[in-house]
Amino acid sequence: MIRKIISIALLILGLAMAVYGGFFRKFLVYDNLEKFDRLKNVGITIKIPGYENASESFTPESQWFSEPDVVRAMTFEGIKRYKDEKLISNYPDLRMLKGRIPCPT
Amino acid sequence: MEKIRLKVQVISLALLNLGLFQWQTICFPVLNCHSCPTALFSCPIGILGQFVGLGLVPLSVVAVVAITGLTVGRFMCGWICPFGLAQDLLYKVPYVKFDIPRWTRFIKYLIFAGLVVAVPIFLSPGFPLYFCRLCPVATVQSAVPWALINGTADTLTLSVRLVILFLIVVAAMGHRRFFCKVICPLGAILSVTNRFALLFPERNTNCTGCGVCNKICPMETSKEKGSFGVYDKAPEECISCLDCKDKCPADSIKLWG
C-alpha cells in the first residue's frame, strides 16, 4: 500500500514536470556571434535553407526555444553555453537549428 | 510468452526506426540512438548528458523516464528496447556461458553517475569518456551507418567504439542480458523506480516455493528456493519479461503488483 502511495505521488510529480517542461518552459538562445563574425570577416555567405542572402544582411538575434525544441537541437549538439552563461547556437544562425538532421555522435 | 515478446520486440525495433519521419523533440525511454539516420525519437540518455553539460535539467525528459519507470518499470527493457532484443538473440548463439558476480550490477549506477552526469558537467559532452562516445548502441545505429554514408570517419574513435561493441557482444553471447545488468545507464534509472512501478509481477498464495521462477529469470534476481526473486530479492532488476509467469507450475504469478 505504501509502495502504491509513493508511486502515485511520484507519478503526479512526474506529470507536472512533463506538462511544465513540455509546454511552458522556455530557453532564450542567441545567435553564435563569434562564428557569425568569423564567417562574415572572411566573406563567407551563410546558406540556410530558405534563406539565401549574403552574410552582410544578418543581424544577430535571440529566440525563445521551448524545451522540446532544445531537446531536438541537442540531438545534433546544436546549443552550448557562452562565456557570459548565455545559451548560444553552435551554428552561426539560430535558424540553422530548425529542420536539421542529427549528426553522428 | 517468449514468442509473443520476441514479436513485440521486433515490431518495436521496426517502429522506433521507421525512418519515415523524425519526432525528436520527444524522448522515448529506451536505448535507441537519435543519431541513427532512421531513428524516430530521441534517446533520453543522450539528451540528459547534453542538458547537464549546460547546467540544465531536462524536465520533460526526466518526467518521461520517471513516468515510464513508475507505471511499467523496466518492462521497456524486456519488451521494447532494441538492444534488449539484440542481447536476447545473441544469447542464443552457441558460446561459452558464464556467470558474473552480483556486485557487478552496481556498475551501471556508477556509469550513469560518472559517464552520463559527471563527465558532461565537469568536462564536456565532447569528452571521449562521455557515455554516448562509447555507447555500443550508438556505434551500431549511428557511428557505423554514418561512416558508411559519409565514406569517412575518425579511425581511432571508430576503432575504440568497435572494440567496446565487440566486447559487449561477446559478453552478451556468454551471459544473458549482460549489458542490461551491468552497463545500461537507462536501466539504472528505471531500476530506481522499478520498485514503485504499478505494473509488476507478484505471486499469490498458490506459490509452492519450487524456485522455477528464479531458475528461468533472465535477470537472475535470486537463486534461493522459496523466494520470488523479482519481488523479494532484487525488484530493481525485473524486466517484466513474464517468463516466470509462463513457467510457474502453480500459476501463482500475476502481473499487476
Side-chain angles (χ1 to χ4, degrees), chain B residues 27-155:
Chain B
C27 281
F28 194 76
V30 292
L31 219 55
N32 189 60
C33 184
H34 50 233
S35 294
C36 175
T38 58
L40 198 59
F41 299 107
S42 300
C43 169
I45 292 298
I47 297 300
L48 188 64
Q50 294 290 337
F51 263 80
V52 296
L54 299 182
L56 299 168
V57 177
L59 292 179
S60 58
V61 177
V62 172
V64 163
V65 176
I67 290 167
T68 306
L70 291 165
T71 49
V72 295
R74 290 186 75 182
F75 171 87
M76 305 301 282
C77 308
W79 290 74
I80 311 291
C81 181
F83 204 59
L85 167 66
Q87 287 178 89
D88 286 344
L89 296 176
L90 283 169
Y91 189 69
K92 292 182 193 292
V93 175
Y95 184 70
V96 182
K97 307 299 176 191
F98 57 86
D99 275 336
I100 52 171
R102 197 143 196 92
W103 61 264
T104 54
R105 311 285 179 104
F106 292 100
I107 293 174
K108 61 178 175 286
Y109 302 106
L110 296 177
I111 287 176
F112 173 73
L115 305 189
V116 177
V117 177
V119 167
I121 288 178
F122 297 112
L123 297 162
S124 148
F127 193 73
L129 277 179
Y130 171 50
F131 182 78
C132 289
R133 312 278 167 210
L134 309 169
C135 178
V137 180
T139 305
V140 175
Q141 291 192 296
S142 165
V144 171
W146 281 110
L148 295 172
I149 290 167
N150 295 333
T152 178
D154 179 349
T155 316

Side-chain angles (χ1 to χ4, degrees), chain A residues 2-4 6-8 10-11 13-15 17-18 20-22 25 27 67-72 74-77 79-81 85 87 100-105, chain B residues 22 24-27 33-35 42 47 50-51 54-63 67 70-71 132-133 138 142 146 150 161 195-198 200 231 257:
Chain A
I2 291 171
R3 190 169 69 96
K4 283 183 181 167
I6 293 172
S7 173
I8 289 165
L10 291 173
L11 206 53
L13 184 67
L15 284 170
M17 279 166 65
Y20 174 69
R25 198 181 186 198
F27 298 91
E67 190 173 293
D69 283 339
V70 178
V71 166
R72 193 181 181 286
M74 292 302 192
T75 62
F76 47 87
E77 297 170 16
I79 294 175
K80 67 175 181 180
R81 279 239 188 247
E85 290 298 301
L87 293 176
R100 189 185 181 93
I101 59 161
C103 302
T105 53
Chain B
Q22 294 187 318
Q24 296 186 330
T25 51
I26 292 174
C27 281
C33 184
H34 50 233
S35 294
S42 300
I47 297 300
Q50 294 290 337
F51 263 80
L54 299 182
L56 299 168
V57 177
L59 292 179
S60 58
V61 177
V62 172
I67 290 167
L70 291 165
T71 49
C132 289
R133 312 278 167 210
S142 165
W146 281 110
N150 295 333
R161 300 188 74 134
R195 193 178 287 267
F196 304 104
L198 297 174
F200 201 79
Y231 198 87

Side-chain angles (χ1 to χ4, degrees), chain A residues 28-77:
Chain A
L28 188 60
V29 186
Y30 290 83
D31 278 331
N32 191 327
L33 298 179
E34 282 185 353
K35 278 192 182 167
F36 175 79
D37 286 342
R38 209 181 305 146
L39 293 172
K40 194 176 170 185
N41 290 340
V42 294
I44 292 175
T45 303
I46 306 166
K47 286 190 177 176
I48 303 163
Y51 195 94
E52 302 298 331
N53 292 357
S55 59
E56 281 76 14
S57 62
F58 279 89
T59 46
E61 287 177 2
S62 64
Q63 208 177 93
W64 286 100
F65 275 57
S66 66
E67 190 173 293
D69 283 339
V70 178
V71 166
R72 193 181 181 286
M74 292 302 192
T75 62
F76 47 87
E77 297 170 16

